[in-house]
Amino acid sequence: MAEQALIEICELYKVFGKYPASVMSQVHEGAGKDELLAETGHTLGLRDINLKINRGEIFVIMGLSGSGKSTLIRHFNRLIDPTEGKILVDGVDVMELNKKELEQFRRHKMSMVFQRFGLLPHKTVLENVSYGLAVQGVKKPVRHQKATEWLETVGLKGYEQQYPSQLSGGQQQRVGLARALCTDAEILLMDEAFSALDPLIRSEMQDQLIELQDKLHKTIVFITHDLDEALRLGDKIAILKDGELVQQGKPEEILLNPATEYVEAFVKDVNRARALTVETVMNPPISRITANTIGEALEQMKKLPEDYGYYVNEDGYQGILLQETLEQAAEDNAEAALNETLIEELEAVSPDAILESVIPETLDTEYHLPVVDEEGSLQGELSRSNLAEVLGDSSRQAA
Amino acid sequence: MAEKSWLTDFPQMERGDLIAIRKTLDGAYRDFSREYGDVIEAVFDPLLNFLIWFERLLLQSPWWLVLGAITGLVYLASRSWKLSGSVVVALLAIGYFGMWDNTMRTLSMITVCTLLAIALGVPIGIAMARSDRVQNIVTPMLDVMQTMPAFVYLIPVVMLLGIGKIPGLIAVIIYAIPPVIRLTNLGIRLVDREVLEAATAYGANPFQRLFGVQLPLAMPTIMAGINQTIMMALAMVVIASMIGVKGLGQPVLKSITNQYFTLGLLNGLAIVVLAIIFDRVSQAWAKRSQKHLGELSHG
Ligand SMILES: Nc1ncnc2c1ncn2[C@@H]1O[C@H](COP(=O)(O)OP(=O)(O)OP(=O)(O)O)[C@@H](O)[C@H]1O
Ligand SMILES: [Mg+2]
């Protein structure tokens, strides 16, 4: 049943130093990073990492400087070899690949974007973008054609013959991104790809990445030390501390249930109203009324906690029914069909809406807001207390 | 009495022992060179033939043709009319003062030495950059080559191969090759780690990394090494003339023994002129081939 993960990391350990194997027993016994360094001169890079990354998701790895993010991502394409552990990509054990197979694997399966861009300074923008194809031995006209298209996609048309040093940081990273996309690799590794850019360009690049991902559905491993960026991009987030994975999960899980104090400290300054969507805090849709007649509707409503319900028919959510109105109508004829006049309008909110954007509506009405998706079906209800709980919680922690 | 002697005088080995050691080593080497001298000489024959051919080419072609060819090469490398013009004037002056033939001999020697030094030095530098162990072995050898007085390593070379062009060439190369090796090694090691990592991440094999990334990016440094090598080869010309290398060095040597100041000065100046030509042209070429550095280069 469970989806086959595209990338799977099992019990990965990395120790830097002269004789890593010789200190592994100490590591397994639980020696800390500082302890290991003081006693043996070896640096613990990663300890017991277990990860599953699914096809098509943006998986964000987050942590402070020196927490091992770059070390971890470099294991995916074996720029760094693990001391112990297994790396499976699409079912293939990367450690089993020989030199030639590893080259092929890097050429076709993964591409990478670097923090300081990693462009070849002696090659033009066009040659840089087509570098991956050049390495594969693709003929010049073909690869230049393709590189030109990708350059256009990232908005750098006309810069083909420039050298990287003639471009701004943001433009250089677009070249880096185009180079990564040009090989059509399924997996994109991005090591702090946007960290060197100023905030405005950075958020532009994030938008562009999201837009591209909507079209391309790549599997992206994205590294950042910025939680806002992580929340914005990530389908899943993993948090590293001193080479250990302290928590992984959906963004809202991490925001709402930080596993350790470290994560809590990390997330406490986040503006939750901006980071969370309605979906993550809403209650299940219990106040649903699907009756045909007024009598039946009243019958259903009696079981509900509140004195109103959301009327849903084959066409989806229609509006809100009030007990008061129904009772009046039932005095005339309880057998009569529910009609338009009895249904009151109540603007629904989308499950994907950011909490901040629905605060006014929530405060404006005494009812719980119906949460309705694009197809019109009722997904949940959002109450003031829902909002107060998550937003209040964060302000209390921040204080 | 015995103790006193080692307190006041350094405890030396017996004179006789020392003489015995010297005799044995010298004898062994002499036997070796008698035994294998011809074989080793034969190995160098193709090189000698090439040297002679190249020298003849420069000497026997009409002077204006050689002058035209040199100027053409200078222009191709530097794309500068000013530099090319200065080269013509300098060479005309050299010819006018009667040093044309010797200059051509030296030029041919230096050209061959430089090409050989590059052909040997760059691969050695690459090997050093790829392996710390090779670096640890080669570096002290380079230190010895650069500090050992040239006369000392002339002795075994002359014992083995006699005097003439080939021993001269070997002496010049031993003296001049260290910079190109050192700077090739340094240049490759200084290549930005992330750029190299990027190449690896896209599946470049070692060959593609070396020729597509490392060497091109190390090129400015390697060029500086080549430049140094040329300068040192020119400086070695006078010493090499002591073992029979013809060219500008011989008149200088003659001037020293006979105290001909003007003759020495003129030939010395001709060497300087050659040095300046080599230096300016190779630098102009290096700069032109690094156009991607554009405005970033500091001159
Ligand atoms: N080649 C190496 N040799 C020894 N130690 C290393 C090496 N590479 C990384 N480390 C150590 O591993 C730890 C993690 O480094 P890493 O570069 O993965 O951190 P990071 O999370 O990417 O940090 P940053 O945000 O600064 O990039 C650090 O303590 C570092 O000292
Ligand atoms: Mg890093």
Side-chain angles (χ1 to χ4, degrees), chain A residues 33-144:
Chain A
K33 184 170 175 167
D34 297 333
E35 195 184 330
L36 195 75
L37 187 62
E39 280 176 20
T40 67
H42 287 67
T43 309
L44 183 59
L46 294 171
R47 176 208 288 277
D48 197 17
I49 304 287
N50 291 284
L51 279 182
K52 276 196 176 123
I53 300 177
N54 293 324
R55 214 175 280 275
E57 74 184 3
I58 301 188
F59 192 98
V60 175
I61 298 171
M62 203 173 63
L64 298 177
S65 195
S67 56
K69 307 181 296 290
S70 299
T71 309
L72 178 55
I73 204 174
R74 277 162 179 69
H75 278 86
F76 292 2
N77 54 0
R78 266 189 67 193
L79 288 177
I80 297 180
D81 280 343
T83 312
E84 251 176 40
K86 235 182 176 168
I87 304 157
L88 297 172
V89 176
D90 216 357
V92 176
D93 186 348
V94 181
M95 292 310 297
E96 301 283 304
L97 300 178
N98 65 28
K99 245 180 170 173
K100 275 271 164 303
E101 289 166 338
L102 184 61
E103 270 159 23
Q104 289 305 322
F105 169 82
R106 286 170 176 159
R107 285 176 190 182
H108 298 286
K109 204 79 194 166
M110 288 190 187
S111 53
M112 194 159 179
V113 184
F114 294 82
Q115 178 168 5
R116 288 182 301 115
F117 321 135
L119 300 177
L120 306 171
H122 60 299
K123 293 193 188 274
T124 63
V125 165
L126 190 67
E127 287 166 340
N128 264 291
V129 174
S130 55
Y131 182 73
L133 296 178
V135 166
Q136 293 172 21
V138 175
K139 291 266 175 306
K140 210 175 215 171
V142 181
R143 64 175 200 250
H144 280 185

Side-chain angles (χ1 to χ4, degrees), chain A residues 74 77 79 103 106-107 110-112 114-123 131-132 135 163 165 176 179-180 183, chain B residues 192-195 197-206 208-209 211-213 216-217 291-296:
Chain A
R74 277 162 179 69
N77 54 0
L79 288 177
E103 270 159 23
R106 286 170 176 159
R107 285 176 190 182
M110 288 190 187
S111 53
M112 194 159 179
F114 294 82
Q115 178 168 5
R116 288 182 301 115
F117 321 135
L119 300 177
L120 306 171
H122 60 299
K123 293 193 188 274
Y131 182 73
V135 166
Y163 286 96
S165 62
R179 174 174 70 176
T183 59
Chain B
D192 186 348
R193 232 194 77 194
E194 209 178 55
V195 175
E197 203 171 38
T200 315
Y202 282 92
N205 58 33
Q208 288 168 321
R209 281 204 297 272
F211 287 94
V213 181
L217 291 186
K291 61 177 184 285
H292 66 270
L293 295 177
E295 290 81 63
L296 288 182

Side-chain angles (χ1 to χ4, degrees), chain A residues 151-376:
Chain A
L151 269 175
E152 204 173 332
T153 310
V154 301
L156 281 180
K157 197 178 171 179
Y159 287 88
E160 289 83 1
Q161 298 311 322
Q162 303 268 302
Y163 286 96
S165 62
Q166 295 167 303
L167 267 51
S168 74
Q171 289 172 323
Q172 289 188 43
Q173 196 54 297
R174 278 171 218 270
V175 175
L177 189 58
R179 174 174 70 176
L181 294 171
C182 198
T183 59
D184 288 329
E186 187 178 1
I187 302 167
L188 206 58
L189 305 176
M190 304 181 75
D191 186 5
E192 304 213 28
F194 302 154
S195 298
L197 309 175
D198 63 57
L200 212 64
I201 306 289
R202 190 170 180 174
S203 109
E204 253 177 52
M205 295 289 289
Q206 291 166 358
D207 289 340
Q208 186 164 46
L209 186 68
I210 292 171
E211 198 182 300
L212 280 168
Q213 173 67 354
D214 283 343
K215 272 189 261 165
L216 303 173
H217 310 292
K218 304 249 178 206
T219 305
I220 302 179
V221 182
F222 193 100
I223 291 206
T224 180
H225 55 239
D226 175 7
L227 186 62
D228 286 320
E229 188 166 71
L231 293 170
R232 185 142 183 229
L233 297 173
D235 296 317
K236 290 251 186 66
I237 297 179
I239 297 183
L240 272 180
K241 182 192 181 229
D242 293 341
E244 284 179 72
L245 207 54
V246 288
Q247 188 173 11
Q248 56 175 321
K250 297 213 172 93
E252 57 272 13
E253 285 169 20
I254 289 181
L255 269 190
L256 297 174
N257 307 306
T260 66
E261 274 173 28
Y262 177 79
V263 182
E264 207 170 293
F266 229 119
V267 302
K268 86 177 177 203
D269 291 330
V270 172
N271 184 345
R272 292 186 177 193
R274 254 187 229 155
L276 292 174
T277 59
V278 168
E279 196 172 24
T280 57
V281 298
M282 69 190 185
N283 291 326
I286 38 173
S287 310
R288 185 201 305 264
I289 292 176
T290 51
N292 289 319
T293 68
I294 296 173
E296 282 171 24
L298 270 174
E299 203 54 34
Q300 289 182 358
M301 197 174 293
K302 294 230 172 69
K303 295 180 196 142
L304 300 183
E306 310 282 339
D307 55 356
Y308 59 85
Y310 309 109
Y311 179 57
V312 179
N313 63 16
E314 308 85 69
D315 297 330
Y317 168 75
Q318 298 300 318
I320 185 169
L321 287 170
L322 303 181
Q323 194 166 3
E324 217 183 331
T325 330
L326 284 185
E327 273 167 358
Q328 276 174 16
E331 280 169 21
D332 293 347
N333 180 4
E335 297 305 308
L338 278 172
N339 65 35
E340 303 267 310
T341 54
L342 299 171
I343 302 168
E344 283 191 40
E345 245 182 65
L346 179 62
E347 194 77 51
V349 295
S350 149
D352 298 327
I354 303 294
L355 279 191
E356 192 177 48
S357 70
V358 301
I359 291 176
E361 282 104 319
T362 320
L363 298 180
D364 237 18
T365 163
E366 59 206 271
Y367 310 116
H368 296 176
L369 284 178
V371 181
V372 175
D373 66 13
E374 281 165 23
E375 276 103 55

Side-chain angles (χ1 to χ4, degrees), chain B residues 96-135:
Chain B
Y96 190 68
F97 281 102
M99 299 181 289
W100 181 262
D101 283 1
N102 277 338
T103 305
M104 286 306 114
R105 286 191 187 104
T106 297
L107 186 62
S108 90
M109 186 75 187
I110 297 301
T111 309
V112 175
C113 284
T114 306
L115 291 178
L116 265 178
I118 294 172
L120 291 172
V122 171
I124 295 175
I126 292 171
M128 274 172 87
R130 299 181 79 82
S131 146
D132 284 339
R133 186 185 297 177
V134 176
Q135 177 174 258

Side-chain angles (χ1 to χ4, degrees), chain B residues 46-63 66 70 100-113 164-166 168-169 237 241 244-250:
Chain B
L47 189 60
L48 182 62
N49 290 336
F50 177 72
L51 258 176
I52 292 172
W53 171 83
F54 191 60
E55 191 178 296
R56 282 218 183 113
L57 183 74
L58 288 181
L59 281 174
Q60 294 180 353
S61 309
W63 64 268
V66 176
I70 293 176
W100 181 262
D101 283 1
N102 277 338
T103 305
M104 286 306 114
R105 286 191 187 104
T106 297
L107 186 62
S108 90
M109 186 75 187
I110 297 301
T111 309
V112 175
C113 284
K165 283 192 169 55
I166 291 292
L169 180 116
V237 159
S241 67
V245 175
K246 291 193 183 143
L248 293 168
Q250 283 198 328

Side-chain angles (χ1 to χ4, degrees), chain B residues 237-292:
Chain B
V237 159
V238 177
I239 294 175
S241 67
M242 292 176 65
I243 52 170
V245 175
K246 291 193 183 143
L248 293 168
Q250 283 198 328
V252 173
L253 206 61
K254 196 162 85 188
S255 322
I256 296 172
T257 41
N258 300 319
Q259 302 182 355
Y260 298 150
F261 174 62
T262 316
L263 181 71
L265 184 67
L266 280 177
N267 283 279
L269 282 177
I271 293 177
V272 172
V273 166
L274 275 186
I276 292 177
I277 293 176
F278 269 114
D279 179 63
R280 292 303 129 85
V281 172
S282 64
Q283 284 199 14
W285 182 76
K287 205 185 245 170
R288 220 164 47 75
S289 63
Q290 299 297 323
K291 61 177 184 285
H292 66 270

